Amino acid sequence: MGYTYQYPRPSVTVDCVVFGLDLAAEDLKVLLIQRKKDPFAGLWAFPGGFVEEDETLEESAKRELQEETGISRLYLEQLYTFGDPGRDPRGHTVTVAYYALVKLSDHTPKAADDAKAVDWFSVSKPPKLAFDHAKILKMALARLRAKVRYQPIGFELLPAKFTLSQLQRLYEIVLERPLDKRNFRKKILGMGLLIDLEETQKDVAHRAAQLYRFDEERYRGLVAEGFNFEI
Amino acid sequence: MGYTYQYPRPSVTVDCVVFGLDLAAEDLKVLLIQRKKDPFAGLWAFPGGFVEEDETLEESAKRELQEETGISRLYLEQLYTFGDPGRDPRGHTVTVAYYALVKLSDHTPKAADDAKAVDWFSVSKPPKLAFDHAKILKMALARLRAKVRYQPIGFELLPAKFTLSQLQRLYEIVLERPLDKRNFRKKILGMGLLIDLEETQKDVAHRAAQLYRFDEERYRGLVAEGFNFEI
DNA sequence: GCGACTTGGTGTATAGTTTACACTTATGTC
DNA sequence: GACATAAGTGTAAACTATACACCAAGTCGC
């Protein structure tokens, strides 16, 4: 039993580069799964798998993520498609890579799901990766760093309620450079995209900061008028 | 005779959205091929075709372009991968779309190659397109418009030797808005990326303009130092 | 040969944006 | 209540972007 075609076809897979922000450790993390089988048994790889009949690429990416890591709510965007004939030793495989942003607090430990080891790693010192996943990670990071500056996707990495300092730290971690506190606040508040929740942090050993949330509706309205987000 | 696999596999194709700039008509053009066979016989589509064994996606795109239109020297960049199950009535087909920029002067008439009709169309009023190619064109245009502002890819659309007015017109056509002549010249010359060829236009019925070429080497050098091109 | 036509080429002043920079306030801990 | 920690706040200077109009050079037609 099998599926027969007149011409050879490459396999088609999806891979998800899932980023999470660890505010406590001030570090950007990536979610990886340890491979149990060859090729590359023991190495780490992005969650992903074969595209099935009658599903879109994005559905496929979401399904694989759900199956392998339990993650469901996330920001997902297509990154790039990798199709070099030698990238999978089992045969020509084209993979459509996605990158995803999740609120780390919603998906914290998440180790050992269905017998597979799943863990978060610092993007700056990942373990040895299977296939061409190191190259994919590099591209995903470059995309995230570029995109975070002109699209308000950073909020996807923060809890729904956040302080201005947390938001600033997010940008500092992703962009790997310090930002001036007063200028940052002036700029971000000036956009009018943050809603002051009139609520402050609890249980912090210093002056409690004001909490905000991102005003997505207003962002959509402003974009329609030609507004450009920029950090 | 055929190729048999344990699980079903979608077909994998590449499609190329080739842009050319018609300075005489002040119009951005896209290269299309008229389909002879069903599905969508008679409609127009991007050059493209099936990815073969042992070729990279980019090689595949270049090969198809060469075969179907004779175009070889061009700027080529991956755009997006489209894989909705219903996009090809013959069955699940994943297409990796590329967009390409060519110097129209190098590939002018190009109609009727191997019995297939090939022609340039204005991007603003294309003919009826096959498959989901209207959606792909829309995305390619959006990408071109975004990218032309922060990467010096516009030069790929101009002849090697060009005038500042031609360069300005290119941006006006692609971005669909007028630019101030003095400000444009100040900005573009200020980047130091143009080499004054100390040569002027010939055979024009008015004062002949200075010719320039793009200094690609210097651009690479500046990028390495952290320079950002921006119009 | 000269006037009309077409496009090339040039500078400055103003408004807006970005950057650099340091102290006071609020809260919990010891 | 002194200390530690992070929150919160304004201004001046440098730089960048924008708006704007005329003369120069060459061809065409008479």
Side-chain angles (χ1 to χ4, degrees):
Chain A
M1 175 72 208
Y3 296 84
T4 301
Y5 307 105
Q6 190 177 357
Y7 298 102
R9 295 184 174 189
S11 300
V12 181
T13 61
V14 288
D15 281 302
C16 296
V17 186
V18 183
F19 292 112
L21 185 75
D22 185 343
L23 278 171
E26 305 225 329
D27 201 12
L28 186 65
K29 304 280 190 179
V30 61
L31 188 69
L32 298 171
I33 294 182
Q34 192 167 31
R35 290 183 60 83
K36 290 282 171 193
K37 295 182 194 163
D38 267 321
F40 305 107
L43 299 199
W44 294 78
F46 302 123
F50 294 93
V51 172
E52 297 181 357
E53 287 286 277
D54 302 319
E55 70 181 354
T56 67
L57 298 169
E58 190 167 319
E59 280 165 8
S60 192
K62 282 187 173 159
R63 177 182 50 73
E64 292 286 352
L65 258 181
Q66 171 66 49
E67 286 173 12
E68 297 187 345
T69 70
I71 289 176
S72 56
R73 277 193 64 81
L74 45 64
Y75 171 86
L76 189 72
E77 184 182 308
Q78 193 181 299
L79 173 66
Y80 198 79
T81 299
F82 298 83
D84 284 7
R87 59 176 298 281
D88 188 325
R90 293 166 297 185
H92 197 178
T93 302
V94 171
T95 196
V96 183
Y98 281 78
Y99 75 100
L101 306 179
V102 303
K103 300 181 201 308
L104 197 61
S105 48
D106 297 357
H107 311 279
T108 13
K110 199 77 290 183
D113 201 89
D114 50 324
K116 277 184 193 166
V118 180
D119 213 347
W120 290 99
F121 290 87
S122 168
V123 297
S124 57
K125 30 185 187 327
K128 197 157 165 36
L129 297 176
F131 306 102
D132 52 357
H133 286 195
K135 183 176 160 191
I136 296 177
L137 176 58
K138 203 173 152 189
M139 193 180 279
L141 263 173
R143 179 78 138 262
L144 174 62
R145 286 189 180 125
K147 194 125 189 177
V148 89
R149 283 172 37 188
Y150 62 90
Q151 290 236 272
I153 57 173
F155 301 102
E156 304 289 341
L157 291 166
L158 288 179
K161 298 176 179 184
F162 52 84
T163 71
L164 288 180
S165 294
Q166 288 172 337
L167 186 60
Q168 182 179 341
R169 231 162 289 138
L170 150 66
Y171 281 101
E172 290 177 330
I173 292 167
V174 172
L175 300 177
E176 293 185 306
R177 68 183 154 92
L179 299 171
D180 179 88
K181 182 160 66 163
R182 277 178 289 190
N183 294 339
F184 180 81
R185 282 163 187 249
K186 204 190 312 172
K187 189 166 205 170
I188 206 90
L189 288 176
M191 292 183 195
L193 290 173
L194 297 188
I195 293 171
D196 183 336
L197 291 169
E198 301 190 346
E199 188 186 340
T200 52
Q201 281 181 304
K202 299 277 176 269
D203 305 315
V204 285
H206 51 77
R207 175 173 176 180
Q210 197 52 240
L211 289 169
Y212 294 85
R213 71 173 180 86
F214 176 58
D215 190 345
E216 201 169 330
E217 202 176 330
R218 179 158 163 74
Y219 174 65
R220 274 200 277 267
L222 286 174
V223 165
E225 294 167 24
F227 168 83
N228 276 310
F229 180 88
E230 202 180 331
I231 292 291
Chain B
M1 172 84 203
Y3 296 85
T4 302
Y5 307 104
Q6 191 178 358
Y7 298 102
R9 296 185 174 189
S11 301
V12 181
T13 61
V14 288
D15 282 302
C16 296
V17 186
V18 183
F19 291 112
L21 186 74
D22 184 343
L23 278 172
E26 306 224 329
D27 201 13
L28 185 65
K29 305 280 189 177
V30 61
L31 188 69
L32 297 171
I33 293 181
Q34 192 167 30
R35 291 183 59 83
K36 291 282 171 193
K37 295 180 194 163
D38 268 321
F40 304 109
L43 299 199
W44 295 78
F46 302 123
F50 293 93
V51 172
E52 297 181 357
E53 287 285 279
D54 302 319
E55 70 181 354
T56 66
L57 298 169
E58 191 168 319
E59 281 164 7
S60 192
K62 282 187 173 160
R63 177 181 52 72
E64 292 286 354
L65 258 181
Q66 172 65 49
E67 286 173 13
E68 298 187 344
T69 70
I71 289 176
S72 55
R73 277 193 63 82
L74 45 63
Y75 172 87
L76 189 72
E77 184 181 307
Q78 194 181 300
L79 172 66
Y80 197 80
T81 299
F82 299 83
D84 284 7
R87 59 175 297 282
D88 187 325
R90 292 166 297 185
H92 198 179
T93 302
V94 171
T95 196
V96 184
Y98 281 78
Y99 74 100
L101 306 179
V102 304
K103 300 180 202 307
L104 198 60
S105 48
D106 297 358
H107 311 279
T108 13
K110 200 74 288 180
D113 201 89
D114 51 322
K116 277 184 194 166
V118 180
D119 213 347
W120 290 100
F121 290 86
S122 167
V123 296
S124 57
K125 32 185 187 327
K128 197 158 167 35
L129 297 177
F131 305 103
D132 53 357
H133 287 195
K135 183 175 160 191
I136 297 177
L137 176 59
K138 202 172 154 189
M139 194 180 279
L141 264 173
R143 180 78 138 262
L144 173 62
R145 286 189 180 125
K147 195 124 188 178
V148 89
R149 282 172 36 186
Y150 62 89
Q151 290 237 272
I153 57 172
F155 300 103
E156 305 289 341
L157 291 166
L158 288 179
K161 299 176 179 184
F162 52 83
T163 70
L164 289 181
S165 294
Q166 288 173 337
L167 186 60
Q168 183 180 340
R169 232 160 289 139
L170 150 66
Y171 281 101
E172 291 178 330
I173 292 166
V174 173
L175 299 177
E176 294 184 305
R177 66 183 155 92
L179 300 172
D180 180 87
K181 182 159 66 162
R182 278 178 288 192
N183 293 340
F184 180 80
R185 282 163 187 249
K186 205 189 313 174
K187 189 165 203 170
I188 206 91
L189 289 175
M191 293 182 193
L193 290 173
L194 297 187
I195 294 173
D196 184 335
L197 291 169
E198 302 191 344
E199 188 187 339
T200 51
Q201 280 182 305
K202 299 278 177 267
D203 305 316
V204 285
H206 51 77
R207 176 174 176 179
Q210 197 51 240
L211 289 170
Y212 294 85
R213 70 174 181 85
F214 177 58
D215 190 344
E216 201 169 331
E217 203 176 327
R218 180 157 164 74
Y219 174 64
R220 275 199 277 266
L222 286 174
V223 165
E225 293 167 25
F227 168 83
N228 275 311
F229 180 89
E230 202 181 330
I231 292 290

